[in-house]
PDB file of all heavy atoms in Angstrom:
ATOM      1  N   GLU S  13      46.537 -17.451 -63.345  1.00  0.00           N
ATOM      2  CA  GLU S  13      47.240 -17.472 -62.065  1.00  0.00           C
ATOM      3  C   GLU S  13      48.207 -16.304 -61.956  1.00  0.00           C
ATOM      4  O   GLU S  13      48.326 -15.666 -60.903  1.00  0.00           O
ATOM      5  CB  GLU S  13      47.997 -18.798 -61.899  1.00  0.00           C
ATOM      6  CG  GLU S  13      47.089 -19.994 -61.750  1.00  0.00           C
ATOM      7  CD  GLU S  13      47.821 -21.310 -61.888  1.00  0.00           C
ATOM      8  OE1 GLU S  13      48.835 -21.390 -62.608  1.00  0.00           O
ATOM      9  OE2 GLU S  13      47.350 -22.282 -61.272  1.00  0.00           O
ATOM     10  N   LEU S  14      48.883 -16.017 -63.058  1.00  0.00           N
ATOM     11  CA  LEU S  14      49.829 -14.912 -63.087  1.00  0.00           C
ATOM     12  C   LEU S  14      49.109 -13.578 -62.866  1.00  0.00           C
ATOM     13  O   LEU S  14      49.554 -12.751 -62.073  1.00  0.00           O
ATOM     14  CB  LEU S  14      50.566 -14.916 -64.426  1.00  0.00           C
ATOM     15  CG  LEU S  14      51.654 -13.893 -64.638  1.00  0.00           C
ATOM     16  CD1 LEU S  14      52.732 -14.024 -63.579  1.00  0.00           C
ATOM     17  CD2 LEU S  14      52.252 -14.057 -66.027  1.00  0.00           C
ATOM     18  N   ALA S  15      48.000 -13.390 -63.551  1.00  0.00           N
ATOM     19  CA  ALA S  15      47.223 -12.154 -63.398  1.00  0.00           C
ATOM     20  C   ALA S  15      46.750 -11.994 -61.954  1.00  0.00           C
ATOM     21  O   ALA S  15      46.841 -10.902 -61.380  1.00  0.00           O
ATOM     22  CB  ALA S  15      46.038 -12.160 -64.352  1.00  0.00           C
ATOM     23  N   CYS S  16      46.287 -13.057 -61.360  1.00  0.00           N
ATOM     24  CA  CYS S  16      45.813 -13.016 -59.979  1.00  0.00           C
ATOM     25  C   CYS S  16      46.960 -12.666 -59.029  1.00  0.00           C
ATOM     26  O   CYS S  16      46.810 -11.809 -58.155  1.00  0.00           O
ATOM     27  CB  CYS S  16      45.181 -14.349 -59.617  1.00  0.00           C
ATOM     28  SG  CYS S  16      44.489 -14.406 -57.956  1.00  0.00           S
ATOM     29  N   GLU S  17      48.085 -13.306 -59.199  1.00  0.00           N
ATOM     30  CA  GLU S  17      49.237 -13.079 -58.330  1.00  0.00           C
ATOM     31  C   GLU S  17      49.754 -11.643 -58.433  1.00  0.00           C
ATOM     32  O   GLU S  17      50.115 -11.033 -57.432  1.00  0.00           O
ATOM     33  CB  GLU S  17      50.354 -14.056 -58.685  1.00  0.00           C
ATOM     34  CG  GLU S  17      51.620 -13.884 -57.897  1.00  0.00           C
ATOM     35  CD  GLU S  17      51.483 -14.244 -56.432  1.00  0.00           C
ATOM     36  OE1 GLU S  17      50.612 -15.062 -56.083  1.00  0.00           O
ATOM     37  OE2 GLU S  17      52.253 -13.695 -55.624  1.00  0.00           O
ATOM     38  N   LEU S  18      49.776 -11.103 -59.657  1.00  0.00           N
ATOM     39  CA  LEU S  18      50.311  -9.757 -59.870  1.00  0.00           C
ATOM     40  C   LEU S  18      49.240  -8.672 -59.729  1.00  0.00           C
ATOM     41  O   LEU S  18      49.542  -7.501 -59.855  1.00  0.00           O
ATOM     42  CB  LEU S  18      50.963  -9.669 -61.253  1.00  0.00           C
ATOM     43  CG  LEU S  18      52.136 -10.604 -61.475  1.00  0.00           C
ATOM     44  CD1 LEU S  18      52.650 -10.490 -62.900  1.00  0.00           C
ATOM     45  CD2 LEU S  18      53.251 -10.341 -60.470  1.00  0.00           C
ATOM     46  N   GLN S  19      48.005  -9.102 -59.504  1.00  0.00           N
ATOM     47  CA  GLN S  19      46.862  -8.203 -59.335  1.00  0.00           C
ATOM     48  C   GLN S  19      46.679  -7.282 -60.539  1.00  0.00           C
ATOM     49  O   GLN S  19      46.532  -6.068 -60.414  1.00  0.00           O
ATOM     50  CB  GLN S  19      46.999  -7.402 -58.044  1.00  0.00           C
ATOM     51  CG  GLN S  19      47.014  -8.283 -56.826  1.00  0.00           C
ATOM     52  CD  GLN S  19      47.167  -7.518 -55.523  1.00  0.00           C
ATOM     53  OE1 GLN S  19      47.324  -6.312 -55.507  1.00  0.00           O
ATOM     54  NE2 GLN S  19      47.088  -8.230 -54.421  1.00  0.00           N
ATOM     55  N   VAL S  20      46.718  -7.901 -61.716  1.00  0.00           N
ATOM     56  CA  VAL S  20      46.450  -7.221 -62.980  1.00  0.00           C
ATOM     57  C   VAL S  20      45.484  -8.089 -63.771  1.00  0.00           C
ATOM     58  O   VAL S  20      45.193  -9.221 -63.390  1.00  0.00           O
ATOM     59  CB  VAL S  20      47.743  -6.971 -63.798  1.00  0.00           C
ATOM     60  CG1 VAL S  20      48.711  -6.076 -63.039  1.00  0.00           C
ATOM     61  CG2 VAL S  20      48.416  -8.279 -64.177  1.00  0.00           C
ATOM     62  N   THR S  21      45.004  -7.575 -64.881  1.00  0.00           N
ATOM     63  CA  THR S  21      44.113  -8.360 -65.727  1.00  0.00           C
ATOM     64  C   THR S  21      44.926  -9.177 -66.733  1.00  0.00           C
ATOM     65  O   THR S  21      46.102  -8.894 -66.981  1.00  0.00           O
ATOM     66  CB  THR S  21      43.137  -7.448 -66.498  1.00  0.00           C
ATOM     67  OG1 THR S  21      43.894  -6.631 -67.408  1.00  0.00           O
ATOM     68  CG2 THR S  21      42.329  -6.575 -65.549  1.00  0.00           C
ATOM     69  N   THR S  24      46.202  -6.969 -69.416  1.00  0.00           N
ATOM     70  CA  THR S  24      47.437  -6.253 -69.080  1.00  0.00           C
ATOM     71  C   THR S  24      48.646  -7.114 -69.398  1.00  0.00           C
ATOM     72  O   THR S  24      49.639  -6.624 -69.955  1.00  0.00           O
ATOM     73  CB  THR S  24      47.440  -5.850 -67.594  1.00  0.00           C
ATOM     74  OG1 THR S  24      46.374  -4.929 -67.366  1.00  0.00           O
ATOM     75  CG2 THR S  24      48.765  -5.219 -67.180  1.00  0.00           C
ATOM     76  N   ILE S  25      48.571  -8.382 -69.089  1.00  0.00           N
ATOM     77  CA  ILE S  25      49.689  -9.277 -69.397  1.00  0.00           C
ATOM     78  C   ILE S  25      49.910  -9.343 -70.901  1.00  0.00           C
ATOM     79  O   ILE S  25      51.042  -9.295 -71.372  1.00  0.00           O
ATOM     80  CB  ILE S  25      49.456 -10.675 -68.789  1.00  0.00           C
ATOM     81  CG1 ILE S  25      49.475 -10.560 -67.255  1.00  0.00           C
ATOM     82  CG2 ILE S  25      50.508 -11.672 -69.269  1.00  0.00           C
ATOM     83  CD1 ILE S  25      49.068 -11.798 -66.518  1.00  0.00           C
ATOM     84  N   TRP S  28      51.709  -6.257 -71.925  1.00  0.00           N
ATOM     85  CA  TRP S  28      53.127  -6.337 -71.576  1.00  0.00           C
ATOM     86  C   TRP S  28      53.878  -7.148 -72.626  1.00  0.00           C
ATOM     87  O   TRP S  28      54.996  -6.810 -72.990  1.00  0.00           O
ATOM     88  CB  TRP S  28      53.307  -6.978 -70.215  1.00  0.00           C
ATOM     89  CG  TRP S  28      52.874  -6.151 -69.048  1.00  0.00           C
ATOM     90  CD1 TRP S  28      52.551  -4.818 -69.042  1.00  0.00           C
ATOM     91  CD2 TRP S  28      52.722  -6.589 -67.703  1.00  0.00           C
ATOM     92  NE1 TRP S  28      52.202  -4.422 -67.787  1.00  0.00           N
ATOM     93  CE2 TRP S  28      52.302  -5.492 -66.936  1.00  0.00           C
ATOM     94  CE3 TRP S  28      52.892  -7.812 -67.068  1.00  0.00           C
ATOM     95  CZ2 TRP S  28      52.066  -5.573 -65.575  1.00  0.00           C
ATOM     96  CZ3 TRP S  28      52.650  -7.891 -65.715  1.00  0.00           C
ATOM     97  CH2 TRP S  28      52.252  -6.788 -64.977  1.00  0.00           C
TER      98      TRP S  28
END
Side-chain angles (χ1 to χ4, degrees):
E13 292 168 330
L14 183 58
C16 183
E17 178 68 26
L18 299 177
Q19 298 179 357
V20 299
T21 65
T24 296
I25 294 172
W28 289 348

